[in-house]
Amino acid sequence: MNQFYNCFRTELLKTKRTLSFSGAIIIPTVITGVNFLTFVVYREDFAKAGANLWIALAGNIFSAFALLFLPMYVGMVGYSTNHIEHQADAWKNLFALPLKRSTIYLSKLCMVLLQVITCVTLLYALTLLSGQILGMLYPELGFQNYDSTVLILVTIVKFTLASLGTLAIQYVVSIYWSDFIKPMGAALIGLVVGILLAKWKFAFLVPYSLCPRVMEQFQKENLTIFNREVLSSVLWATGVFILGYWLILRKNVK
Amino acid sequence: MNEPVIETTNLSYHFGTHQVLHDLSISVPAGSIYGFLGHNGAGKTTTIKILLSLLQDFHGDALILNKDIRSRRMEILARIGSLVEAPGLYHHLTGWENLRIRSLLLSVVPEKIVDTLRTVGLMEVKNRLVRHYSHGMKQRLGIALALLSDPQILILDEPTNGLDPTGIKEIRELLTTLRSLGKTIFLSSHILSEVEKIITDVGIIHKGRLLYGGGVEGLKASGANLVEFDVLQPDLTRELLTMWGISFESNHHLINIPCKSNARIAELTDHFVTHGISVIGIRKLEKSLEHVYFELVEKEMQQT
Ligand SMILES: Nc1ncnc2c1ncn2[C@@H]1O[C@H](COP(=O)(O)OP(=O)(O)OP(=O)(O)O)[C@@H](O)[C@H]1O
Ligand SMILES: [Mg+2]
């Protein structure tokens, strides 16, 4: 346990002077910021619509975030934690230390999860904050009359869980492929295929289609967390992580 | 005799279909500085990677401290400090931060970092990014990483690679000191002259096969000694030697001939005298390790 904690601390130290955590901060800030400005500029059109504008506000943010930024970000962090070792040619050092390979594998994984959680938590906070501010500045938009906190929270939790499958795939793939193009190319193709297949009957089995499907559920104001999309994602993640672990135990550092 | 700290039996390794180690059996005595010598591509790094459990799909056996590396990986690695090829460093971090990471992974107290930095002479640049280090500084940092946990066994793959003459001398002295503290050092190199002065034992590897393994003295004693004949008729001597089919090297009036025994020296002298050559001096030469090394490798090359 102590060894795991120390190993995790080294992962934090390694992110020093890298962009690792900036993505977690920049992405939510930019998306919610741009969306906030859109609401300010077009506030009269939005006010005319009259409905619960929390749904419109979060919907805008989510469609940019969950359909584009989250899948790319997940690929990016999965890639960068392993890329640090590839670039430094440091696997040979790590694996020649008296450390279990599982300790290294799991602490890197926790590092990736920490980054993703930072990102979604910030997104949640900024979404609520931007709605509150809009409500204060322009009462005619009616933000103060509705409360969609739970729906927004539930949906963000679902996005996070629904992206675990792709996270696992990207993480394991980037242990093996040291270059940038292959893992990120895989993420990009997955993203496009995922959106195209989202309406398919068996799309809940395709890890890259899960976020688009959760997006649809948000538009229907669905509050169930553990539906088949989320379960499918969690199963994918578990399977791929176990496979990755099996592979890393056998990995030869050539 | 000291019992071996590292022992391999019939180690073989394939990269795909290309076999790079052939039944390699080496034995590194406790408390020795073992020079593992061979040309580029001989299989030095591959052997080291097997010893460190980095390559797992090998054939044969490898024991370190009498423990099988396949089953007791963790216990063994806890006793080893290693440097494999170019040191794998995090270039966006400082030298100190690189060592800090290693100290966390090894549960070594941070105070040890400063000691180690002093040992390798990097104290002044410890807060500089490794990206801005010179080649030799990086190499020193790699050695520092290997030394950090004060391990009982050091496995160093070409540690002096890229160091300046002072640096090489410092590392040599450092290794000798470490040996006197009871550590065992396994050191690979393709530059014999750099390690010749400090090694006590030697393994010569060529195309994945061991040509010699044992003490340095034994290696020097093996094969023929060079004998230097000082003659007054060098041209005639060269002609005769060529005619008799005896190999030699010559430098003006000095002719060097490998002789297996004293009887051979007497016999040659007789031959010279009967053919009218005046021999005015005979001297047995101290054989350099380098000479023996090339002799061995050349002999092997001729056979294949
Ligand atoms: N990753 C790899 N894939 C395929 N073949 C390899 C790989 N690494 C090494 N080899 C081959 O294995 C053989 C031994 O290589 P090795 O690196 O062990 O040599 P070396 O003795 O360390 O040489 P050097 O002095 O150049 O470092 C070489 O023929 C090399 O081509
Ligand atoms: Mg090598």
Side-chain angles (χ1 to χ4, degrees):
Chain A
M1 198 56 218
N2 187 33
Q3 192 141 64
F4 174 79
Y5 172 66
N6 280 342
C7 195
F8 182 71
R9 277 173 72 191
T10 68
E11 290 302 322
L12 282 175
L13 228 166
K14 284 178 212 168
T15 62
K16 214 171 159 182
R17 300 184 204 93
T18 67
L19 296 176
S20 292
F21 272 96
S22 2
I25 292 162
I26 293 170
I27 292 174
T29 313
V30 168
I31 299 179
T32 51
V34 169
N35 190 56
F36 179 84
L37 292 179
T38 317
F39 268 75
V40 171
V41 174
Y42 297 104
R43 61 178 177 277
E44 282 161 17
D45 298 336
F46 280 113
K48 263 182 244 155
N52 177 0
L53 283 186
W54 281 105
I55 304 293
L57 178 94
N60 271 356
I61 292 173
F62 288 169
S63 54
F65 183 69
L67 301 186
L68 181 65
F69 286 97
L70 184 59
M72 290 313 278
Y73 181 65
V74 155
M76 196 65 213
V77 286
Y79 161 80
S80 63
T81 179
N82 292 315
H83 179 68
I84 288 182
E85 313 300 343
H86 288 306
Q87 196 181 33
D89 193 9
W91 291 111
K92 63 181 186 201
N93 292 348
L94 283 181
F95 287 174
L97 294 175
L99 281 178
K100 290 207 187 92
R101 289 188 177 189
S102 57
T103 309
I104 299 166
Y105 185 70
L106 285 178
S107 54
K108 283 196 167 295
L109 181 62
C110 286
M111 188 64 203
V112 171
L113 288 176
L114 179 68
Q115 282 167 272
V116 173
I117 290 169
T118 310
C119 183
V120 294
T121 309
L122 188 63
L123 186 88
Y124 177 60
L126 289 178
T127 304
L128 293 190
L129 185 70
S130 62
Q132 297 289 353
I133 296 176
L134 283 169
M136 277 192 283
L137 294 178
Y138 311 107
E140 68 271 24
L141 289 174
F143 277 99
Q144 65 282 22
N145 303 330
Y146 299 91
D147 181 5
S148 300
T149 327
V150 175
L151 176 64
I152 293 173
L153 179 62
V154 164
T155 308
I156 288 188
V157 169
K158 281 164 78 177
F159 280 139
T160 313
L161 293 173
S163 62
L164 287 181
T166 50
L167 176 82
I169 295 174
Q170 296 299 140
Y171 176 67
V172 171
V173 156
S174 59
I175 293 177
Y176 283 85
W177 283 334
S178 56
D179 61 329
F180 180 75
I181 303 294
K182 283 181 201 145
M184 290 317 280
L188 199 61
I189 292 170
L191 179 88
V192 173
V193 171
I195 291 176
L196 290 177
L197 285 183
K199 298 250 187 272
W200 182 42
K201 195 163 58 161
F202 294 113
F204 69 93
L205 295 174
V206 182
Y208 291 90
S209 292
L210 300 176
C211 277
R213 289 179 65 85
V214 170
M215 184 68 201
E216 275 177 33
Q217 292 163 5
F218 164 75
Q219 279 150 348
K220 293 178 189 146
E221 303 193 23
N222 179 327
L223 284 172
T224 328
I225 293 187
F226 291 101
N227 54 21
R228 61 182 186 183
E229 278 74 19
V230 167
L231 289 178
S232 156
S233 173
V234 171
L235 285 178
W236 265 100
T238 314
V240 174
F241 281 132
I242 291 172
L243 176 74
Y245 177 58
W246 187 84
L247 286 170
I248 208 160
L249 282 186
R250 273 148 199 82
K251 187 175 158 77
N252 287 309
V253 186
K254 295 199 165 156
Chain B
M1 224 9 235
N2 286 334
E3 83 172 40
V5 162
I6 301 174
E7 190 164 36
T8 73
T9 327
N10 297 333
L11 215 56
S12 296
Y13 193 80
H14 299 254
F15 279 112
T17 55
H18 177 41
Q19 184 166 4
V20 299
L21 294 182
H22 301 262
D23 294 328
L24 194 73
S25 299
I26 57 176
S27 172
V28 179
S32 63
I33 300 186
Y34 187 98
F36 193 45
L37 310 172
H39 285 347
N40 290 134
K44 303 182 294 292
T45 302
T46 307
T47 309
I48 287 176
K49 284 186 170 176
I50 291 174
L51 294 177
L52 295 173
S53 298
L54 293 172
L55 297 173
Q56 304 179 352
D57 49 345
F58 61 90
H59 297 277
D61 288 311
L63 303 182
I64 294 184
L65 297 167
N66 261 323
K67 295 172 186 143
D68 190 331
I69 60 167
R70 282 198 180 89
S71 52
R72 320 231 344 230
R73 173 180 169 273
M74 292 273 281
E75 289 165 66
I76 291 171
L77 292 180
R79 306 295 202 80
I80 300 180
S82 61
L83 168 66
V84 185
E85 294 187 310
L89 304 171
Y90 302 109
H91 285 209
H92 63 288
L93 301 177
T94 64
W96 191 88
E97 285 163 347
N98 270 276
L99 283 161
R100 180 67 189 132
I101 287 177
R102 183 65 65 94
S103 78
L104 279 168
L105 294 175
L106 292 169
S107 309
V108 166
V109 291
E111 291 75 55
K112 196 83 184 61
I113 298 174
V114 175
D115 292 348
T116 315
L117 279 166
R118 271 210 196 94
T119 307
V120 298
L122 287 178
M123 206 47 196
E124 271 166 38
V125 293
K126 70 180 195 317
N127 291 327
R128 197 183 290 177
L129 293 186
V130 170
R131 183 182 299 134
H132 300 141
Y133 272 21
S134 73
H135 186 67
M137 288 175 184
K138 287 180 195 155
Q139 196 67 21
R140 283 161 190 260
L141 186 55
I143 294 171
L145 288 169
L147 295 177
L148 190 63
S149 63
D150 200 14
Q152 181 182 350
I153 306 172
L154 276 169
I155 296 186
L156 305 172
D157 192 6
E158 305 193 19
T160 49
N161 186 5
L163 292 189
D164 54 31
T166 335
I168 293 173
K169 191 160 161 281
E170 281 169 19
I171 298 302
R172 272 206 297 253
E173 284 162 5
L174 174 64
L175 295 181
T176 315
T177 313
L178 290 171
R179 176 181 178 236
S180 68
L181 296 173
K183 302 187 188 307
T184 304
I185 299 158
F186 182 93
L187 175 78
S188 90
S189 179
H190 54 250
I191 309 172
L192 232 162
S193 53
E194 272 180 13
V195 295
E196 181 167 3
K197 293 196 190 79
I198 56 165
I199 57 181
T200 58
D201 290 82
V202 61
I204 294 180
I205 179 177
H206 182 67
K207 295 195 175 151
R209 290 193 167 82
L210 196 72
L211 299 188
Y212 176 86
V216 170
E217 293 313 316
L219 178 60
K220 284 188 181 169
S222 77
N225 266 307
L226 266 194
V227 178
E228 181 189 81
F229 291 87
D230 193 347
V231 294
L232 290 182
Q233 298 86 1
D235 291 332
L236 176 61
T237 314
R238 276 191 284 268
E239 249 172 64
L240 284 170
L241 285 170
T242 316
M243 210 171 70
W244 297 335
I246 296 173
S247 65
F248 65 95
E249 294 159 8
S250 69
N251 182 8
H252 301 292
H253 52 98
L254 296 177
I255 316 274
N256 295 338
I257 305 172
C259 298
K260 288 216 169 68
S261 60
N262 287 340
R264 175 72 174 154
I265 302 173
E267 184 191 0
L268 271 176
T269 320
D270 265 359
H271 274 311
F272 287 147
V273 175
T274 41
H275 287 84
I277 294 167
S278 323
V279 179
I280 55 170
I282 299 178
R283 192 160 67 98
K284 285 187 192 169
L285 296 181
E286 171 74 20
K287 194 160 42 174
S288 81
L289 212 48
E290 192 141 14
H291 189 90
V292 187
Y293 171 69
F294 279 111
E295 233 175 47
L296 270 175
V297 172
E298 250 165 51
K299 206 163 72 190
E300 179 70 19
M301 279 171 158
Q302 278 163 10
Q303 279 167 11
T304 51

